[in-house]
Amino acid sequence: MSKDILLFQTVASVLFMNTILSNLVPCPPACASCQLRKTGAFTPVDANELAFIEAFRSGTLALQAGDTLIHEQRPSGKLFTLYAGWAFRYKTLSDGRRQILNFLLPGDLIGLQQEFTDGAMHGIEAVTDISLCVFSREKLWDLFRSYPSLGYDITWLAAREEGMVDDNLLTAGRRNATERVAMLLMHLYRRLERLGLAHDGSVAFPINQQHVADTLGLSLVHTNKTMRRLRRLGLHEIRNGRLWLRNPKALQQLADYYDVPLRKVPLL
Amino acid sequence: MSKDILLFQTVASVLFMNTILSNLVPCPPACASCQLRKTGAFTPVDANELAFIEAFRSGTLALQAGDTLIHEQRPSGKLFTLYAGWAFRYKTLSDGRRQILNFLLPGDLIGLQQEFTDGAMHGIEAVTDISLCVFSREKLWDLFRSYPSLGYDITWLAAREEGMVDDNLLTAGRRNATERVAMLLMHLYRRLERLGLAHDGSVAFPINQQHVADTLGLSLVHTNKTMRRLRRLGLHEIRNGRLWLRNPKALQQLADYYDVPLRKVPLL
DNA sequence: CGGTAGATTGAGAGTCCTCAAGCTCTGTGG
DNA sequence: CCACAGAGCTTGAGGACTCTCAATCTACCG
């Protein structure tokens, strides 16, 4: 830590420091100044809806990389919208084998299944430092009653996430290691790009090979060898926490990936 | 076909014949006489809601085993509730590899993702002859607006189905062949049991080993060898289209399966 | 009795996994 | 300024699990 930073720390709160050090983007105090909505990736809401969302929101929350937002098995009582950073949903078997179900990126609604699903639960863990808007579950019914349009949006989000898990199941069940890696790279790149998070042909890529392995249902070693090969073939490059698709065409073909028209998505 | 049947055919419509021959249970003309609701597996609705559902329903449909209800890629414009029989959701890669995403049993809502999901679509195929209630998608928004409680129910169903796909992803990604088979047998048995479809310790089991393989992400041959072994070990038995769990404890342990308290589920 | 769908089995080949080390980079402490 | 520890990435080797190919067998149907 440099002298300047140390000096700075004497006048800034530790919390704020963490923010600076990790590049965490905190949630804005009011939904009106939400930066996510300005990306154009989300469906617009009218003033009334926005006001309701604002009232629905019970606060914000910041977690550090590696923290657990929702524990497997333990119901959470809250809903969240991920505002900044990466997280993932996962399930584990009792002997520790872990499967990542899907990654959560800014704008994703978190915790909906906790309420409804009757199977065992899933956990949610932060990949990077993250900031979230918090909603209380008790008010969810109010939302459906008062603003059916928002209820409709929530159903949309639920169905969209299911579609994502569907894709991951197809990948884990029927693609080989090479195809799986290619699929994941394409999928994440496109999602981030849609959010306007691609810069100079690259996107942030904060996950490690263990995350990739747990997502794809592969071992760490085989994941490594597969990614290494794809990199040697010049298909992609991961460096300094960023991902470049050096040959998207080839990756797309390998993965049997189809680009879909980017639709706007609801944002709560 | 026996003489009696041939004789009978002369006075009955072919459609009706199909019904008889396949044991198809047709949808009742009115929701008030819905047999599914009487099973006790579903959350009760009040008279107003029931009336709305009745109005929402635009008709019924019967399909034969093997028929495709919704084609991959092609949007369907309709929603369905499966009334009787088995179906499944699936996705395929362009070279034909198929992954079954989840099985659909009586009471399951079908086609919700078609509206919302932005990835490629999934197909839906009938395993047995099936009968369905049909709803027009245009009225879905009406439903949310007029009966927020039903909108809430639909979100519930969407989240519940996602939970099921989550489980299947964990299975395909992290369980070995033996565990996968054990998991599927437990899962299907419990779901059918909950619907009151277990009789004398067995449930209908109309799927073949190719279905099992496509569900679990295994090859047909390896699926066969695995199921054969479990049967030799006395864990289960499949005969005449029915499934017996001869040793549920062992299956449960193998699969790392946890029985969950059976909650009532909404029914549209 | 031939034809077809589905279940079985054997054999050999691959893909993927586990075990075991090294290597690189970064932050920490002496 | 360098040794050291920890996290993450890489590589090699051998073995286990699954896959593909090829038949055979059974049950049911016309």
Side-chain angles (χ1 to χ4, degrees):
Chain A
M1 206 178 282
S2 80
K3 255 183 204 166
D4 288 348
I5 297 287
L6 281 172
L7 179 63
F8 184 68
Q9 194 167 22
T10 61
V11 291
S13 76
V14 172
L15 189 62
F16 188 31
M17 273 303 300
N18 286 339
T19 303
I20 296 294
L21 288 176
S22 63
N23 294 314
L24 177 65
V25 180
C27 295
C31 292
S33 54
C34 178
Q35 296 303 307
L36 270 182
R37 290 193 191 281
K38 296 179 183 164
T39 61
F42 301 97
T43 52
V45 292
D46 65 31
N48 288 332
E49 288 168 335
L50 193 64
F52 184 87
I53 292 173
E54 176 100 47
F56 185 35
R57 186 169 82 150
S58 67
T60 66
L61 181 65
L63 259 61
Q64 294 191 312
D67 284 354
T68 296
L69 175 62
I70 295 177
H71 286 83
E72 253 180 305
Q73 310 292 347
R74 204 180 314 159
S76 89
K78 295 203 175 306
L79 292 171
F80 309 90
T81 288
L82 184 55
Y83 184 74
W86 287 40
F88 60 87
R89 292 201 310 128
Y90 67 94
K91 274 171 140 350
T92 56
L93 295 174
S94 59
D95 66 0
R97 281 174 285 177
R98 179 174 77 169
Q99 177 67 40
I100 290 179
L101 303 169
N102 65 291
F103 285 100
L104 301 164
L105 300 180
D108 286 344
L109 183 63
I110 297 177
L112 195 61
Q113 304 88 355
Q114 299 289 122
E115 168 78 7
F116 298 115
T117 210
D118 42 17
M121 310 260 165
H122 58 257
I124 293 184
E125 184 178 313
V127 175
T128 64
D129 290 357
I130 60 176
S131 58
L132 309 117
C133 298
V134 185
F135 305 99
S136 75
R137 198 185 290 292
E138 294 83 49
K139 291 192 197 157
L140 185 58
W141 166 236
D142 279 348
L143 178 146
F144 272 80
R145 195 178 37 196
S146 312
Y147 283 86
S149 59
L150 295 180
Y152 195 80
D153 285 349
I154 286 182
T155 304
W156 178 323
L157 289 174
R160 173 173 168 273
E161 185 172 84
E162 179 177 346
M164 224 148 10
V165 182
D166 287 350
D167 286 336
N168 293 341
L169 177 53
L170 173 62
T171 296
R174 289 304 183 198
R175 279 187 247 249
N176 64 30
T178 305
E179 296 165 342
R180 293 186 205 189
V181 169
M183 185 68 192
L184 183 61
L185 297 180
M186 288 302 302
H187 169 77
L188 287 174
Y189 193 97
R190 294 299 181 220
R191 275 180 73 192
L192 290 160
E193 189 176 46
R194 173 188 312 209
L195 289 170
L197 295 175
H199 301 296
D200 302 322
S202 74
V203 296
F205 201 76
I207 61 180
N208 59 31
Q209 295 187 347
Q210 185 66 64
H211 289 118
V212 174
D214 287 348
T215 304
L216 301 179
L218 296 170
S219 71
L220 175 60
V221 172
H222 200 242
T223 299
N224 174 280
K225 287 171 180 172
T226 306
M227 293 182 76
R228 201 80 189 72
R229 188 152 35 82
L230 290 187
R231 180 162 115 192
R232 278 219 190 80
L233 291 171
L235 300 197
H236 78 284
E237 191 174 341
I238 294 169
R239 197 163 33 80
N240 298 329
R242 297 193 70 80
L243 162 69
W244 284 261
L245 302 186
R246 297 301 190 195
N247 191 342
K249 274 261 173 93
L251 286 171
Q252 199 158 332
Q253 192 156 6
L254 260 182
D256 199 32
Y257 176 93
Y258 292 99
D259 245 330
V260 289
L262 310 182
R263 254 204 288 180
K264 297 201 179 201
V265 171
L267 173 65
L268 205 60
Chain B
M1 207 178 282
S2 80
K3 254 181 205 167
D4 287 348
I5 296 287
L6 281 173
L7 180 63
F8 183 68
Q9 195 167 22
T10 61
V11 292
S13 77
V14 172
L15 190 61
F16 187 30
M17 273 303 299
N18 285 340
T19 303
I20 296 294
L21 287 176
S22 63
N23 292 315
L24 176 65
V25 180
C27 296
C31 292
S33 54
C34 178
Q35 297 303 309
L36 270 182
R37 290 192 191 282
K38 297 179 182 164
T39 61
F42 301 96
T43 52
V45 292
D46 66 31
N48 289 331
E49 288 168 335
L50 193 64
F52 184 86
I53 292 172
E54 176 100 48
F56 184 36
R57 185 170 82 150
S58 68
T60 65
L61 182 64
L63 259 61
Q64 293 191 314
D67 284 354
T68 296
L69 174 63
I70 296 178
H71 286 83
E72 254 180 302
Q73 311 292 348
R74 202 181 316 159
S76 90
K78 296 205 176 303
L79 291 172
F80 309 90
T81 288
L82 184 56
Y83 184 74
W86 287 40
F88 60 87
R89 292 201 309 128
Y90 67 94
K91 273 172 148 326
T92 56
L93 295 174
S94 59
D95 65 1
R97 280 174 285 177
R98 179 174 78 169
Q99 177 66 40
I100 290 180
L101 303 169
N102 64 292
F103 285 101
L104 301 164
L105 300 180
D108 286 344
L109 183 63
I110 297 177
L112 195 62
Q113 303 87 356
Q114 299 289 123
E115 169 78 7
F116 299 116
T117 211
D118 42 17
M121 310 263 166
H122 58 257
I124 292 183
E125 185 178 313
V127 174
T128 65
D129 290 357
I130 61 177
S131 58
L132 310 118
C133 298
V134 186
F135 306 98
S136 75
R137 198 186 289 294
E138 295 82 49
K139 292 192 197 157
L140 185 58
W141 166 237
D142 279 348
L143 178 147
F144 272 80
R145 195 178 40 196
S146 311
Y147 284 86
S149 60
L150 295 179
Y152 195 80
D153 285 349
I154 287 182
T155 304
W156 178 323
L157 289 173
R160 173 172 168 274
E161 185 172 84
E162 178 177 347
M164 225 151 4
V165 182
D166 287 350
D167 285 337
N168 292 342
L169 177 52
L170 174 62
T171 294
R174 288 305 183 198
R175 279 187 245 252
N176 64 31
T178 305
E179 296 165 342
R180 293 186 205 190
V181 169
M183 184 69 192
L184 183 62
L185 297 181
M186 287 301 303
H187 169 77
L188 287 175
Y189 193 96
R190 295 298 180 221
R191 276 180 73 190
L192 289 160
E193 188 176 45
R194 174 187 311 209
L195 288 169
L197 294 176
H199 302 295
D200 303 322
S202 74
V203 296
F205 201 77
I207 60 180
N208 59 31
Q209 295 187 345
Q210 185 67 64
H211 289 118
V212 174
D214 287 349
T215 304
L216 301 179
L218 297 171
S219 71
L220 175 60
V221 173
H222 199 242
T223 298
N224 175 279
K225 288 173 180 171
T226 306
M227 294 183 75
R228 201 78 188 75
R229 187 153 34 84
L230 290 187
R231 180 162 114 192
R232 278 220 190 79
L233 291 171
L235 300 197
H236 79 283
E237 191 174 341
I238 295 169
R239 196 164 32 81
N240 298 330
R242 297 194 71 79
L243 162 70
W244 285 261
L245 302 187
R246 297 301 190 195
N247 190 342
K249 274 261 173 93
L251 286 171
Q252 198 157 332
Q253 191 156 6
L254 260 182
D256 198 32
Y257 176 92
Y258 291 99
D259 244 331
V260 289
L262 311 182
R263 255 204 287 181
K264 297 200 178 201
V265 171
L267 174 65
L268 204 61

mmCIF file of all heavy atoms in Angstrom, chain B residues 90-108:
data_model
loop_
_atom_site.group_PDB
_atom_site.id
_atom_site.type_symbol
_atom_site.label_atom_id
_atom_site.label_comp_id
_atom_site.label_asym_id
_atom_site.label_seq_id
_atom_site.Cartn_x
_atom_site.Cartn_y
_atom_site.Cartn_z
ATOM 1 N N TYR B 90 -37.060 -30.349 -23.964
ATOM 2 C CA TYR B 90 -35.723 -30.761 -24.412
ATOM 3 C C TYR B 90 -35.092 -29.689 -25.279
ATOM 4 O O TYR B 90 -35.760 -28.762 -25.757
ATOM 5 C CB TYR B 90 -35.817 -32.070 -25.200
ATOM 6 C CG TYR B 90 -36.557 -31.923 -26.510
ATOM 7 C CD1 TYR B 90 -35.871 -31.668 -27.693
ATOM 8 C CD2 TYR B 90 -37.947 -32.011 -26.552
ATOM 9 C CE1 TYR B 90 -36.553 -31.498 -28.886
ATOM 10 C CE2 TYR B 90 -38.630 -31.843 -27.745
ATOM 11 C CZ TYR B 90 -37.918 -31.590 -28.905
ATOM 12 O OH TYR B 90 -38.610 -31.416 -30.076
ATOM 13 N N LYS B 91 -33.795 -29.838 -25.442
ATOM 14 C CA LYS B 91 -33.039 -29.004 -26.368
ATOM 15 C C LYS B 91 -32.119 -29.929 -27.148
ATOM 16 O O LYS B 91 -31.678 -30.945 -26.607
ATOM 17 C CB LYS B 91 -32.153 -28.024 -25.589
ATOM 18 C CG LYS B 91 -32.805 -26.717 -25.183
ATOM 19 C CD LYS B 91 -31.869 -25.986 -24.261
ATOM 20 C CE LYS B 91 -31.886 -24.526 -24.292
ATOM 21 N NZ LYS B 91 -32.098 -23.650 -25.306
ATOM 22 N N THR B 92 -31.809 -29.566 -28.367
ATOM 23 C CA THR B 92 -30.864 -30.383 -29.120
ATOM 24 C C THR B 92 -29.760 -29.519 -29.710
ATOM 25 O O THR B 92 -29.962 -28.341 -29.995
ATOM 26 C CB THR B 92 -31.540 -31.132 -30.285
ATOM 27 O OG1 THR B 92 -32.204 -30.176 -31.114
ATOM 28 C CG2 THR B 92 -32.552 -32.133 -29.798
ATOM 29 N N LEU B 93 -28.602 -30.115 -29.882
ATOM 30 C CA LEU B 93 -27.517 -29.459 -30.599
ATOM 31 C C LEU B 93 -27.737 -29.712 -32.083
ATOM 32 O O LEU B 93 -28.504 -30.601 -32.464
ATOM 33 C CB LEU B 93 -26.170 -30.028 -30.156
ATOM 34 C CG LEU B 93 -25.837 -29.732 -28.690
ATOM 35 C CD1 LEU B 93 -24.549 -30.448 -28.275
ATOM 36 C CD2 LEU B 93 -25.689 -28.231 -28.479
ATOM 37 N N SER B 94 -27.048 -28.939 -32.898
ATOM 38 C CA SER B 94 -27.337 -29.029 -34.333
ATOM 39 C C SER B 94 -26.957 -30.385 -34.910
ATOM 40 O O SER B 94 -27.443 -30.760 -35.970
ATOM 41 C CB SER B 94 -26.625 -27.904 -35.089
ATOM 42 O OG SER B 94 -25.239 -27.977 -34.881
ATOM 43 N N ASP B 95 -26.098 -31.134 -34.242
ATOM 44 C CA ASP B 95 -25.764 -32.455 -34.768
ATOM 45 C C ASP B 95 -26.676 -33.543 -34.200
ATOM 46 O O ASP B 95 -26.450 -34.729 -34.430
ATOM 47 C CB ASP B 95 -24.300 -32.802 -34.495
ATOM 48 C CG ASP B 95 -24.018 -32.945 -33.003
ATOM 49 O OD1 ASP B 95 -24.950 -32.787 -32.211
ATOM 50 O OD2 ASP B 95 -22.860 -33.210 -32.650
ATOM 51 N N GLY B 96 -27.688 -33.128 -33.472
ATOM 52 C CA GLY B 96 -28.688 -34.093 -33.042
ATOM 53 C C GLY B 96 -28.609 -34.546 -31.596
ATOM 54 O O GLY B 96 -29.552 -35.141 -31.081
ATOM 55 N N ARG B 97 -27.516 -34.272 -30.921
ATOM 56 C CA ARG B 97 -27.445 -34.657 -29.510
ATOM 57 C C ARG B 97 -28.579 -33.975 -28.755
ATOM 58 O O ARG B 97 -28.787 -32.770 -28.889
ATOM 59 C CB ARG B 97 -26.093 -34.220 -28.921
ATOM 60 C CG ARG B 97 -24.951 -35.136 -29.255
ATOM 61 C CD ARG B 97 -23.628 -34.568 -28.766
ATOM 62 N NE ARG B 97 -23.153 -33.465 -29.591
ATOM 63 C CZ ARG B 97 -22.046 -32.763 -29.335
ATOM 64 N NH1 ARG B 97 -21.328 -33.026 -28.267
ATOM 65 N NH2 ARG B 97 -21.675 -31.787 -30.140
ATOM 66 N N ARG B 98 -29.294 -34.763 -27.970
ATOM 67 C CA ARG B 98 -30.471 -34.228 -27.299
ATOM 68 C C ARG B 98 -30.323 -34.263 -25.790
ATOM 69 O O ARG B 98 -29.838 -35.229 -25.225
ATOM 70 C CB ARG B 98 -31.698 -35.032 -27.705
ATOM 71 C CG ARG B 98 -32.986 -34.562 -27.031
ATOM 72 C CD ARG B 98 -34.190 -35.297 -27.564
ATOM 73 N NE ARG B 98 -34.307 -36.634 -26.997
ATOM 74 C CZ ARG B 98 -35.383 -37.406 -27.131
ATOM 75 N NH1 ARG B 98 -36.416 -36.975 -27.833
ATOM 76 N NH2 ARG B 98 -35.432 -38.591 -26.589
ATOM 77 N N GLN B 99 -30.761 -33.198 -25.136
ATOM 78 C CA GLN B 99 -30.792 -33.164 -23.678
ATOM 79 C C GLN B 99 -32.226 -32.914 -23.227
ATOM 80 O O GLN B 99 -32.847 -31.927 -23.614
ATOM 81 C CB GLN B 99 -29.885 -32.042 -23.147
ATOM 82 C CG GLN B 99 -29.910 -31.881 -21.627
ATOM 83 C CD GLN B 99 -29.312 -33.079 -20.909
ATOM 84 O OE1 GLN B 99 -28.317 -33.631 -21.343
ATOM 85 N NE2 GLN B 99 -29.944 -33.503 -19.816
ATOM 86 N N ILE B 100 -32.735 -33.837 -22.432
ATOM 87 C CA ILE B 100 -34.048 -33.613 -21.831
ATOM 88 C C ILE B 100 -33.851 -32.730 -20.616
ATOM 89 O O ILE B 100 -33.003 -33.017 -19.758
ATOM 90 C CB ILE B 100 -34.698 -34.955 -21.452
ATOM 91 C CG1 ILE B 100 -35.079 -35.710 -22.734
ATOM 92 C CG2 ILE B 100 -35.916 -34.716 -20.564
ATOM 93 C CD1 ILE B 100 -35.730 -37.064 -22.499
ATOM 94 N N LEU B 101 -34.600 -31.643 -20.541
ATOM 95 C CA LEU B 101 -34.401 -30.664 -19.468
ATOM 96 C C LEU B 101 -35.178 -31.041 -18.212
ATOM 97 O O LEU B 101 -34.672 -30.956 -17.109
ATOM 98 C CB LEU B 101 -34.828 -29.274 -19.952
ATOM 99 C CG LEU B 101 -34.088 -28.802 -21.211
ATOM 100 C CD1 LEU B 101 -34.738 -27.554 -21.780
ATOM 101 C CD2 LEU B 101 -32.615 -28.551 -20.899
ATOM 102 N N ASN B 102 -36.419 -31.449 -18.402
ATOM 103 C CA ASN B 102 -37.204 -31.966 -17.283
ATOM 104 C C ASN B 102 -38.485 -32.606 -17.796
ATOM 105 O O ASN B 102 -38.913 -32.330 -18.912
ATOM 106 C CB ASN B 102 -37.535 -30.870 -16.257
ATOM 107 C CG ASN B 102 -38.421 -29.793 -16.815
ATOM 108 O OD1 ASN B 102 -38.023 -29.026 -17.676
ATOM 109 N ND2 ASN B 102 -39.647 -29.730 -16.320
ATOM 110 N N PHE B 103 -39.018 -33.469 -16.980
ATOM 111 C CA PHE B 103 -40.261 -34.139 -17.360
ATOM 112 C C PHE B 103 -41.448 -33.314 -16.871
ATOM 113 O O PHE B 103 -41.392 -32.643 -15.846
ATOM 114 C CB PHE B 103 -40.313 -35.548 -16.776
ATOM 115 C CG PHE B 103 -39.421 -36.494 -17.513
ATOM 116 C CD1 PHE B 103 -38.179 -36.836 -16.993
ATOM 117 C CD2 PHE B 103 -39.793 -37.007 -18.750
ATOM 118 C CE1 PHE B 103 -37.330 -37.682 -17.702
ATOM 119 C CE2 PHE B 103 -38.955 -37.851 -19.459
ATOM 120 C CZ PHE B 103 -37.723 -38.183 -18.925
ATOM 121 N N LEU B 104 -42.518 -33.385 -17.642
ATOM 122 C CA LEU B 104 -43.736 -32.666 -17.305
ATOM 123 C C LEU B 104 -44.798 -33.674 -16.913
ATOM 124 O O LEU B 104 -45.060 -34.629 -17.658
ATOM 125 C CB LEU B 104 -44.180 -31.849 -18.517
ATOM 126 C CG LEU B 104 -43.125 -30.836 -18.971
ATOM 127 C CD1 LEU B 104 -43.405 -30.334 -20.371
ATOM 128 C CD2 LEU B 104 -43.047 -29.679 -17.988
ATOM 129 N N LEU B 105 -45.379 -33.465 -15.759
ATOM 130 C CA LEU B 105 -46.389 -34.369 -15.246
ATOM 131 C C LEU B 105 -47.687 -33.588 -15.029
ATOM 132 O O LEU B 105 -47.688 -32.354 -15.088
ATOM 133 C CB LEU B 105 -45.905 -34.982 -13.929
ATOM 134 C CG LEU B 105 -44.608 -35.797 -14.027
ATOM 135 C CD1 LEU B 105 -44.223 -36.360 -12.667
ATOM 136 C CD2 LEU B 105 -44.749 -36.916 -15.054
ATOM 137 N N PRO B 106 -48.771 -34.272 -14.783
ATOM 138 C CA PRO B 106 -50.051 -33.586 -14.637
ATOM 139 C C PRO B 106 -49.975 -32.396 -13.666
ATOM 140 O O PRO B 106 -49.416 -32.509 -12.583
ATOM 141 C CB PRO B 106 -50.971 -34.688 -14.114
ATOM 142 C CG PRO B 106 -50.444 -35.925 -14.772
ATOM 143 C CD PRO B 106 -48.947 -35.742 -14.760
ATOM 144 N N GLY B 107 -50.527 -31.289 -14.104
ATOM 145 C CA GLY B 107 -50.522 -30.074 -13.306
ATOM 146 C C GLY B 107 -49.442 -29.093 -13.716
ATOM 147 O O GLY B 107 -49.493 -27.919 -13.346
ATOM 148 N N ASP B 108 -48.469 -29.545 -14.483
ATOM 149 C CA ASP B 108 -47.373 -28.653 -14.867
ATOM 150 C C ASP B 108 -47.821 -27.663 -15.937
ATOM 151 O O ASP B 108 -48.529 -28.020 -16.875
ATOM 152 C CB ASP B 108 -46.177 -29.466 -15.371
ATOM 153 C CG ASP B 108 -45.441 -30.154 -14.233
ATOM 154 O OD1 ASP B 108 -45.664 -29.778 -13.071
ATOM 155 O OD2 ASP B 108 -44.648 -31.076 -14.507
#
